[in-house]
Amino acid sequence: MATPPVFLIVGAGFSGAVLARELVSRLNARVIVQEARSHIAGNCHTARDTNTGVMVHVHGPHIFNTSNERVWTYVNQWGTFHPFINRVKACTSRGVFVLPVNLHTINQFFGKTFNPHEAQEFIASLGDQSIGEPANFEEQALKFLGRELYETFFRGYTIKQWGCDPRDLPASILKRLPVRFDYNDNYYTKKYQGIPEEGYTAVIERILDHPAIEVRLNSDFRNKASAPAVTHTFFTGAIDSYFGFSEGRLGYRTVTFESIEAEGDYQGNPVINYPETTVPWTRIHEHKHFAPWENHARTVAFREFSKETTPEDLPYYPKRLTADKQLLSRYRQKALSEPAVTFLGRLATYRYMDMETVIGEALVLADRIVENSRANLPLPTFPNEED
């Protein structure tokens, strides 16, 4: 009888947890999950606030949204997802408006009563037609939105979020921010949108609950003393950290939070953005509103601040500026010389990925691992060779 393979997975977020469960279920493997933090679920970690009883998204709000049937079916095996529509507001010196910018925003902002066609023509008339092919974020905004909307909703928020001039960012960033010419105020456009009733940590805890999965918290992957001989390692941490930052540190933005507790309702909405530079925080999220099926007399909200990542900070958003991409290329070349290691997930591939993408990629990687195991082929270094 063949000895079951032993896999080491570094990181207990969605990438590591989903892959661990798939490997033990489909390959009769044993999996050891090493997690450097004191909890599972990575940046999706949720926990009850001890003072208010509110379920808090500890590292910032996460609303699950996907049109991927396989991913949606998968997560619903592990928890009850209540439907949730994220309706974001923007607090500015000119008033509180709906985001993303939609027909309501346009009519309220300009004091108009446009229908969709009229609004499209009006916004087109505001754009800077002297700009040909936009070379950066600011030119993209000015060409398609005009200066007033750009200055009010995008410029200051971008400066605070990314810590640089919008002219230093690629135009493609703004292309991901929709402007709508109807009254749809749903922040997302995916078919399925929800939040797990018991929080994300409970979902991941159930995924990892298998006798062939051993989870080791507060366990640094560099500590090999207690690690057994493994068939293959799957690394979901930051790729530059795996190589000891030998080529330098990749650029990230991180966030910090300032907690607010109050009676009743603090702001009346889950998320309110503050896009102007006169306010130091980027947004405030009030956690009781992420679980409208619960009732709490007290509330807890977080002011969110964005800053450059230091060695002591948790990396959140990959900056992916030109210098970062050049550095990433060198780390990818180093990774290709590690045949017994696969790099997956947001940090290991240095891409901005939401939960559905992370889970979907882990499931597809598991498919490939099963196929390669049957054909006795080596495992890939990256789940998507075109990253």
Side-chain angles (χ1 to χ4, degrees), residues 70-81:
R70 184 184 185 187
V71 168
W72 184 244
T73 300
Y74 185 85
V75 296
N76 276 271
Q77 295 179 69
W78 312 108
T80 299
F81 279 70

Side-chain angles (χ1 to χ4, degrees), residues 49-52 259-263 266 298-301:
D49 178 66
T50 54
N51 293 331
T52 64
S259 180
I260 308 162
E261 285 190 23
E263 295 291 336
Y266 180 75
R298 291 182 58 76
T299 190
V300 59

Side-chain angles (χ1 to χ4, degrees), residues 52-334:
T52 64
V54 172
M55 180 66 77
V56 170
H57 296 220
V58 177
H59 301 289
H62 288 77
I63 295 92
F64 202 92
N65 62 104
T66 185
S67 294
N68 186 318
E69 296 282 350
R70 184 184 185 187
V71 168
W72 184 244
T73 300
Y74 185 85
V75 296
N76 276 271
Q77 295 179 69
W78 312 108
T80 299
F81 279 70
H82 288 286
F84 185 89
I85 302 300
N86 192 25
R87 293 186 167 92
V88 179
K89 304 296 183 285
C91 184
T92 77
S93 58
R94 291 180 57 163
V96 178
F97 299 92
V98 171
L99 288 180
V101 173
N102 68 5
L103 188 55
H104 189 185
T105 315
I106 294 166
N107 280 331
Q108 181 187 359
F109 188 81
F110 292 104
K112 304 292 185 180
T113 57
F114 291 134
N115 64 32
H117 179 70
E118 292 168 337
Q120 283 181 289
E121 288 190 334
F122 177 75
I123 296 300
S125 73
L126 300 178
D128 186 344
Q129 300 310 308
S130 69
I131 299 171
E133 183 63 27
N136 54 58
F137 180 98
E138 182 167 291
E139 288 188 1
Q140 177 79 13
L142 293 176
K143 180 178 175 66
F144 292 100
L145 296 175
R147 185 162 294 278
E148 277 191 278
L149 289 174
Y150 167 62
E151 295 279 357
T152 302
F153 295 108
F154 297 105
R155 184 178 183 275
Y157 194 92
T158 301
I159 291 171
K160 291 192 291 186
Q161 178 73 6
W162 294 103
C164 62
D165 192 296
R167 289 170 291 187
D168 295 331
L169 296 172
S172 59
I173 291 179
L174 189 66
K175 292 176 182 178
R176 297 197 297 265
L177 302 175
V179 174
R180 299 171 181 162
F181 296 98
D182 58 22
Y183 289 102
N184 177 16
D185 65 348
N186 184 346
Y187 197 79
Y188 301 110
T189 59
K190 302 294 178 61
K191 181 177 180 180
Y192 303 109
Q193 301 174 40
I195 292 178
E197 180 179 300
E198 298 174 77
Y200 291 100
T201 298
V203 170
I204 293 180
E205 185 175 35
R206 292 191 186 102
I207 295 173
L208 291 169
D209 184 14
H210 190 284
I213 298 175
E214 177 189 351
V215 179
R216 298 178 178 178
L217 299 178
N218 301 302
S219 179
D220 193 308
F221 78 95
R222 298 177 187 83
N223 180 11
K224 306 293 184 181
S226 60
V230 298
T231 307
H232 197 84
T233 296
F234 299 91
F235 187 78
T236 72
I239 189 171
D240 52 357
S241 73
Y242 181 88
F243 294 103
F245 308 102
S246 59
E247 300 292 321
R249 288 182 178 270
L250 290 165
Y252 284 94
R253 295 292 285 179
T254 192
V255 294
T256 60
F257 303 104
E258 183 179 278
S259 180
I260 308 162
E261 285 190 23
E263 295 291 336
D265 195 335
Y266 180 75
Q267 66 179 12
N269 202 61
V271 181
I272 297 182
N273 286 7
Y274 288 79
E276 296 172 337
T277 55
T278 52
V279 177
W281 51 86
T282 55
R283 58 182 180 169
I284 297 177
H285 23 95
E286 186 172 3
H287 295 268
K288 70 189 299 180
H289 294 300
F290 293 114
W293 51 89
E294 297 184 355
N295 293 300
H296 299 280
R298 291 182 58 76
T299 190
V300 59
F302 285 0
R303 293 189 185 100
E304 182 176 314
F305 301 81
S306 178
K307 74 182 192 72
E308 204 67 14
T309 303
T310 70
E312 292 73 37
D313 293 319
L314 292 173
Y316 273 72
Y317 304 108
K319 295 178 71 173
R320 292 184 68 87
L321 301 180
T322 300
D324 296 313
K325 291 180 180 179
Q326 293 171 349
L327 186 56
L328 175 63
S329 179
R330 296 201 293 273
Y331 278 124
R332 284 180 60 85
Q333 284 301 118
K334 281 180 170 285

